[in-house]
Amino acid sequence: MSVKQQELEKSWQQYKTQQRKKNLYYAFLTVLSVVVFLAIWEAVVRFQLVNVRHLPAPTVIFQTFIEKLHSTVPDGNTLGQNVIASLQVSLTGFFFAVLIGVPLGLLMGWFEPFDSFVRPLFELLRPVPPIAWIPVVVVFLGIGLKAKATIIFLTVFVSCVINSYAGIKLTSRTHINLMKTFGAGTWETFFKVGVPSAMPMVFTGLRVSIGSAWSTLVAAEMLAAKAGLGYMLQVGRGVGDARIVVLAMVTIAALGATLSALLNTLEAHTLKWKEMR
Amino acid sequence: MENIAEKNIDTRPIKVEVKNLTKSFGDLLVLDNLNFNIRQNEFVCVVGPTGCGKTTFLNCLTRILEPTSGDLLINGESADPKKHNLSFVFQEPSIFPWATVEKNIACGLEVKRVPKDEIERRVDRILDLMGLRDVRKAYPKDLSVSTAQRVIIGRSFAMQPDLLLMDEPYGQMDIKMRYYLEDEVIRLWKELGSTVVFITHNIEEAVYLAERVLILSNKPAGIKEEVIIDLPHPRDITDPKFIEYRNYITDQIKWW
């Protein structure tokens, strides 16, 4: 028995080493792709294949980044202030949209009368692009945090509802019947079977919508903002400073990737049970 | 066959009464006036040709479908999943992928609001009986199909149901696994004293398991015949008497 266990332990260790090597290799590939991209970019600029005024090199962007950490030129904010302003807007909008949109989608997918009641309104509002709401939102909410967060809210809300709705509709009939034979009521079945079944789709919705929240941000910050990455980009464009524009873009990209990585971690943790291919 | 049936008169109390059970979908009559009783702690197999309405029959028993007319009584009361303790092993995989093995086994008990310590006790017992102790914290994605099926069977026995219904639970298993799980079901049934209705189209399986076999006729399904299998468990499939039963039921079921 103990010999067998030792052998098992040994092959388990072997497997772990193997996995670690594999993970290291993948991490290397990930880093490599970014490095190659930056190297090509740098080379393109150094060999003057494009005008430096139009596209600054990564090294220059990095310098600008360091400067911008404390400089408020040209938009009146440091980079940190801009990042905080943008995060505040996008996360506020995102948070409220998830808080309302996910339960709404789940309930619509589960209770048919509720679906029939809510669906027409939802279907009518859905095709209106979030940016088209800007004039109306400005009239009612002005141009502050509330207004911009509302635009983000509208973007995220739609995909939260749709994905949760689709997710809970995929609940297996057998699972529902099983709960029925146990004597569970509709609500108990909803919480114990419907909601967990829908979770993978809900997370897909969140991942899609955190992306769109971030990309609508620039549009939302066109609302005469006083700070934010979109605003910084606008000002940079106004004064014709490509470094500021590209720095804003790079920062948006980096933050977007970070947020979606955080979401992936949360998903991996919540959906431990799910088979990943 | 009939004289064997008369030899042993069953004295166990009647648990389930099926009275004039009829089910039709629109014009299509699927179940035609079924009448039979099941005794406490009895193991009944239902066999019949494919598509004769076996699953509809089970779905009526658990009230997934409402019978068109007739009724099903458990302990003299009309069956109601909220009141009675029913348990169903479906033909399709029905393990909850989001719950660990022990949570899967506990879920029916939670619905029934069984006290926590009692749930724990029963889950532990089932884990032991089914040899699932090592995987109690595992998720179904890490289990083999047959282990998952063992969890499902364990889950239904954990309910200590008034009536356990199994709908071709081993339809998709290879023969070795089937033999193994058939013995497992017999063991659990004996150990826990449950009342079992087991649906299958496999006649050998029916003869191997059942105390009594109900043969359904082709659609619309009615009860064609009841056969009492008067052999002790565990049974030997090469026993001439076993083969006699098997051939007899096969002859009765022939619809071609």
Side-chain angles (χ1 to χ4, degrees), chain B:
Chain B
M1 285 292 148
E2 283 72 19
N3 53 358
I4 303 172
E6 280 161 17
K7 245 183 0 193
N8 280 356
I9 290 164
D10 206 329
T11 53
R12 291 174 293 191
I14 287 174
K15 182 88 177 172
V16 180
E17 285 173 83
V18 176
K19 283 187 180 164
N20 310 321
L21 184 69
T22 302
K23 176 75 191 174
S24 50
F25 295 102
D27 292 340
L28 182 68
L29 185 64
V30 181
L31 300 176
D32 188 13
N33 203 22
L34 298 178
N35 282 293
F36 63 93
N37 296 330
I38 299 170
R39 289 174 186 278
Q40 176 109 36
N41 194 19
E42 198 176 3
F43 199 125
V44 177
C45 276
V46 179
V47 295
T50 317
C52 77
K54 294 192 292 282
T55 301
T56 307
F57 168 64
L58 268 199
N59 285 341
C60 284
L61 292 192
T62 50
R63 296 298 157 101
I64 288 170
L65 296 172
E66 278 300 317
T68 308
S69 67
D71 203 359
L72 168 86
L73 306 180
I74 297 179
N75 298 332
E77 281 180 290
S78 185
D80 177 358
K82 285 202 170 43
K83 212 175 334 162
H84 294 111
N85 209 344
L86 301 176
S87 197
F88 200 143
V89 176
F90 291 86
Q91 200 169 357
E92 307 86 14
S94 63
I95 199 162
F96 294 138
W98 55 82
T100 56
V101 167
E102 54 182 4
K103 286 267 161 57
N104 259 291
I105 294 174
C107 81
L109 300 170
E110 282 167 7
V111 172
K112 285 282 181 233
R113 309 279 183 269
V114 174
K116 253 211 161 104
D117 48 334
E118 171 70 7
I119 293 184
E120 230 164 85
R121 206 180 57 74
R122 283 207 219 167
V123 169
D124 275 349
R125 175 137 187 244
I126 292 292
L127 288 172
D128 281 339
L129 280 173
M130 295 304 257
L132 293 167
R133 201 161 258 292
D134 291 341
V135 292
R136 63 187 299 163
K137 301 275 182 208
Y139 285 98
K141 66 167 175 157
D142 297 324
L143 303 177
S144 66
V145 175
S146 59
T147 311
Q149 195 68 7
R150 249 155 63 210
V151 175
I152 291 170
I153 292 162
R155 173 171 71 189
S156 47
F157 274 99
M159 298 288 288
Q160 298 181 354
D162 294 322
L163 182 59
L164 171 61
L165 303 148
M166 306 179 85
D167 186 7
E168 298 191 23
Y170 309 144
Q172 285 136 35
M173 309 243 155
D174 69 26
I175 198 148
K176 184 174 160 225
M177 201 61 229
R178 230 185 55 218
Y179 283 160
Y180 172 70
L181 287 173
E182 282 168 3
D183 288 339
E184 206 77 340
V185 159
I186 291 289
R187 201 158 61 90
L188 282 168
W189 163 63
K190 289 203 157 160
E191 192 109 357
L192 301 172
S194 311
T195 309
V196 183
V197 177
F198 190 108
I199 287 203
T200 178
H201 58 235
N202 185 329
I203 293 155
E204 191 178 273
E205 185 170 65
V207 177
Y208 186 77
L209 294 171
E211 294 180 285
R212 185 157 57 112
V213 176
L214 298 179
I215 304 171
L216 295 188
S217 60
N218 214 342
K219 196 177 282 170
I223 294 176
K224 197 168 176 188
E225 194 177 338
E226 284 183 36
V227 181
I228 291 180
I229 313 286
D230 191 21
L231 295 171
H233 287 103
R235 290 174 181 160
D236 175 6
I237 54 167
T238 55
D239 181 351
K241 266 174 136 178
F242 185 99
I243 294 168
E244 197 188 324
Y245 276 120
R246 200 188 63 200
N247 292 342
Y248 177 75
I249 293 172
T250 311
D251 283 340
Q252 291 307 303
I253 211 172
K254 269 182 187 160
W255 65 94
W256 54 86

Side-chain angles (χ1 to χ4, degrees), chain A residues 89-110:
Chain A
V89 170
S90 57
L91 292 184
T92 309
F94 182 75
F95 182 72
F96 281 103
V98 171
L99 209 65
I100 301 172
V102 170
L104 185 72
L106 292 175
L107 291 172
M108 278 168 70
W110 195 257

Side-chain angles (χ1 to χ4, degrees), chain A residues 175 178 180 182 188 272-273, chain B residues 95 97-98 112-113 155:
Chain A
H175 285 159
L178 181 73
K180 225 173 171 178
F182 285 153
E188 189 166 14
K272 283 200 285 276
W273 54 269
Chain B
I95 199 162
W98 55 82
K112 285 282 181 233
R113 309 279 183 269
R155 173 171 71 189

Side-chain angles (χ1 to χ4, degrees), chain A residues 133-230:
Chain A
W133 284 95
I134 289 178
V136 183
V137 169
V138 170
V139 169
F140 284 98
L141 296 172
I143 54 168
L145 170 69
K146 237 193 278 173
K148 283 175 283 186
T150 304
I151 304 296
I152 306 287
F153 173 87
L154 290 165
T155 316
V156 175
F157 182 69
V158 170
S159 61
C160 276
V161 172
I162 291 179
N163 281 285
S164 312
Y165 179 89
I168 205 159
K169 282 276 181 205
L170 290 176
T171 309
S172 140
R173 182 47 50 190
T174 310
H175 285 159
I176 295 174
N177 282 343
L178 181 73
M179 289 301 277
K180 225 173 171 178
T181 56
F182 285 153
T186 321
W187 278 103
E188 189 166 14
T189 309
F190 172 76
F191 283 115
K192 287 200 168 146
V193 166
V195 173
S197 299
M199 279 330 268
M201 279 295 279
V202 168
F203 267 101
T204 307
L206 296 191
R207 249 181 298 123
V208 170
S209 51
I210 195 117
S212 46
W214 213 227
S215 48
T216 318
L217 184 73
V218 179
E221 281 176 352
M222 284 178 183
L223 290 171
K226 286 197 225 65
L229 291 167

Side-chain angles (χ1 to χ4, degrees), chain A residues 237-260:
Chain A
R237 180 184 166 206
V239 300
D241 189 342
R243 292 175 314 160
I244 295 293
V245 172
V246 178
L247 177 61
M249 286 169 68
V250 170
T251 314
I252 290 173
L255 282 177
T258 310
L259 286 178
S260 100

